[in-house]
């Protein structure tokens, strides 16, 4: 029988009872051994800064995504957009996101996730900044900006998970990933408040 600490969960014998080697350690049955162990992985330096930065990125992601939903109402009356046109503008973002999410996740696995994330943030930021001007030139240009913005924003969720898996100790991953992804909800609220 291998050392109990190397197993992810408490080993059971053939009768589905706690193995005698584990009973002597007073371990709780339903708790994974890495959580029951008093030994914790050291928190790498810079983890707090990474978590804060990823939280900001997810919040900005949501703010930029939702801002068009808010601004489309005055834009529609100013530029004469029909409901169909407003739907096209929203759909262009979603289509870009759909096209971009799998390549974004794969590229973050095979390339530097820092560079892929930086490229995605830069791409969606440029598309967001260009959107108001594009709307006054042509609908096609606005749709292209929204599509590009969707591709840029598609890097966020897969790469947040890559960063957490690579730089956060195992026992902290779930909690910190939840905190980071809460930035999406907070960004939604902030976007509607602006």
């Amino acid at each position: 029988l291998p050392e109990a600490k190397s197993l992810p969960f408490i080993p059971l014998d053939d009768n589905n009872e706690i193995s005698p080697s584990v009973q002597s350690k007073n371990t709780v049955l339903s708790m994974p051994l890495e959580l029951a162990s008093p030994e914790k992985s050291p928190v790498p330096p810079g983890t707090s800064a990474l978590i804060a930065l990823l939280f900001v990125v997810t919040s900005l992601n949501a703010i930029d995504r939702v801002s068009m939903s808010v601004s489309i109402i005055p834009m529609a009356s100013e530029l004469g957009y029909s409901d169909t046109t407003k739907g096209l503008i929203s759909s262009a973002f979603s289509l870009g996101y759909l096209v971009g999410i799998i390549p974004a996740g794969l590229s973050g696995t095979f390339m530097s996730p820092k560079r892929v994330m930086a490229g995605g943030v830069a791409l969606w930021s440029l598309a967001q900044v260009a959107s108001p001007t594009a709307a006054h030139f042509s609908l096609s240009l606005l749709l292209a900006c929204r599509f590009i913005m969707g591709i840029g924003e598609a890097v966020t969720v897969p790469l947040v998970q890559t960063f957490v898996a690579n730089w956060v100790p195992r026992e902290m991953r779930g909690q910190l990933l939840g905190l980071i992804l809460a930035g999406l909800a907070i960004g939604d609220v902030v976007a509607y408040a602006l």
Side-chain angles (χ1 to χ4, degrees):
L1 184 67
E3 276 285 321
K5 286 185 183 179
S6 67
L7 298 173
F9 294 95
I10 298 171
L12 302 177
D13 63 15
D14 293 334
N15 297 325
N16 283 334
E17 294 183 13
I18 299 175
S19 169
S21 66
V22 176
Q23 283 180 351
S24 64
K25 296 185 184 227
N26 296 323
T27 309
V28 178
L29 175 62
S30 62
M31 186 180 295
L33 285 178
E34 64 259 8
L35 295 179
S37 171
E39 300 170 16
K40 298 261 183 186
S41 301
V43 177
T47 299
S48 297
L50 174 69
I51 300 308
L53 184 60
L54 291 173
F55 179 83
V56 168
V57 168
T58 58
S59 297
L60 289 174
N61 181 294
I63 290 169
D64 284 351
R65 182 180 313 175
V66 171
S67 64
M68 183 57 78
S69 300
V70 175
S71 62
I72 194 72
I73 296 168
M75 277 178 62
S77 61
E78 180 183 334
L79 299 171
Y81 291 157
S82 66
D83 287 343
T84 303
T85 303
K86 291 189 286 187
L88 278 173
I89 293 168
S90 294
S91 297
F93 172 87
S94 298
L95 185 59
Y97 196 90
L98 173 72
V99 166
I101 196 158
I102 292 175
L106 290 173
S107 62
T109 302
F110 297 110
M111 297 169 27
S112 166
K114 294 175 192 177
R115 288 187 178 153
V116 175
M117 180 71 89
V121 171
L123 186 64
W124 103 54
S125 298
L126 291 172
Q128 179 73 340
V129 167
S131 290
T133 305
H136 288 285
F137 278 104
S138 74
L139 177 61
S140 299
L141 197 53
L142 175 60
L143 292 174
C145 284
R146 296 296 294 168
F147 180 82
I148 292 167
M149 187 174 168
I151 290 173
E153 286 201 8
V155 304
T156 304
V157 174
L159 289 181
V160 159
Q161 295 176 42
T162 300
F163 279 109
V164 169
N166 290 342
W167 286 288
V168 174
R170 180 180 301 255
E171 64 270 1
M172 299 173 67
R173 287 180 189 162
Q175 185 178 21
L176 293 180
L177 186 60
L179 175 67
I180 294 165
L181 293 178
L184 292 171
I186 291 170
D188 286 347
V189 171
V190 169
Y192 284 113
L194 294 175

